[in-house]
Amino acid sequence: MLVNCNHTCAKVGLGKRQYNARCPIPPNRTAALPPGVLHRTFDRAMTDFADLKPERISVDPPVIIFHKFFSEEETDAFIRHGRGRYSKSLAAGLREDGTFGDVETTIRSSQHSWCQHDACLNDPLVQQVARRVANVTQTPETNAEHAQLVYYHACARVGDPNCAFYGRHSDYLDGDLERLQGVRIYT
């Protein structure tokens, strides 16, 4: 790799060094999810949050669907905060110039936005959902990303090439292992 892709590798290395200079990992940081806690968290989600209608669809890897995680009022709040803010969904990846960032993707054809503007962040309904996420996952709210708001346009029929889709993929990014936020734990 270093012989055939020297220029790209140098850019990737430079990007890592620049990031580490801007966002150093504090020596006293604690893991959001200590080793050995993941499966206990999923077990607790099944027993302590029956009102959210959890359904375990896989044990390994652990996957739960919450059929009632949001109230109608909370759902409406997120829809309201996304309206007029959507843009084409991209994915994290390596750009042509060797930097890491948003790139075109084949895993989804949706539009999305983030709940990172003051009106959304300060909405009591949004804050209520953030507290619930922290409670269910047993991770601090400060360790969470902003809520991603995703819009899929309606389909005339299944299989229509104009249908919006979100393909199966992993949210794990190798580069995040060395970053301040670490890798994504729950999604």
Side-chain angles (χ1 to χ4, degrees):
M1 179 78 169
L2 290 176
V3 173
N4 296 327
C5 302
N6 191 359
H7 183 70
T8 300
C9 289
K11 285 187 174 187
V12 169
L14 175 62
K16 284 182 179 179
R17 288 190 301 278
Q18 289 173 335
Y19 176 83
N20 290 336
R22 283 192 324 271
C23 306
I25 296 175
N28 61 346
R29 95 171 159 166
T30 55
L33 186 70
V37 173
L38 184 70
H39 286 285
R40 287 195 309 269
T41 301
F42 276 77
D43 291 341
R44 178 178 170 268
M46 293 300 297
T47 59
D48 294 4
F49 298 97
D51 56 318
L52 303 179
K53 304 289 186 221
E55 176 188 0
R56 188 184 306 254
I57 61 171
S58 175
V59 174
D60 190 20
V63 178
I64 294 176
I65 295 174
F66 292 95
H67 294 282
K68 296 285 184 182
F69 200 86
F70 295 92
S71 69
E72 290 292 325
E73 191 179 25
E74 291 164 345
T75 301
D76 290 343
F78 280 101
I79 290 170
R80 185 176 60 254
H81 290 299
R83 207 170 274 131
R85 296 179 182 273
Y86 292 105
S87 60
K88 182 178 180 174
S89 294
L90 301 171
L94 198 61
R95 297 181 186 134
E96 286 184 25
D97 66 0
T99 61
F100 194 79
D102 289 336
V103 295
E104 297 265 337
T105 179
T106 58
I107 61 168
R108 59 179 156 223
S109 63
S110 57
Q111 294 182 328
H112 80 279
S113 182
W114 296 92
C115 175
Q116 58 188 13
H117 52 283
D118 287 342
C120 189
L121 293 172
N122 295 322
D123 185 317
L125 293 168
V126 170
Q127 292 172 347
Q128 182 173 291
V129 171
R131 284 190 300 274
R132 184 177 313 122
V133 169
N135 186 16
V136 171
T137 63
Q138 297 185 292
T139 56
E141 286 181 56
T142 55
N143 285 67
E145 296 177 358
H146 296 296
Q148 185 178 23
L149 313 174
V150 184
Y151 174 77
Y152 297 93
H153 62 272
C155 251
R157 60 182 161 64
V158 174
D160 183 326
N162 295 319
C163 290
F165 67 89
Y166 196 85
R168 190 173 172 174
H169 67 282
S170 170
D171 281 339
Y172 178 82
L173 301 173
D174 282 329
D176 285 349
L177 187 59
E178 303 302 322
R179 291 184 145 193
L180 180 59
Q181 78 271 14
V183 295
R184 189 176 283 171
I185 300 169
Y186 300 113
T187 190

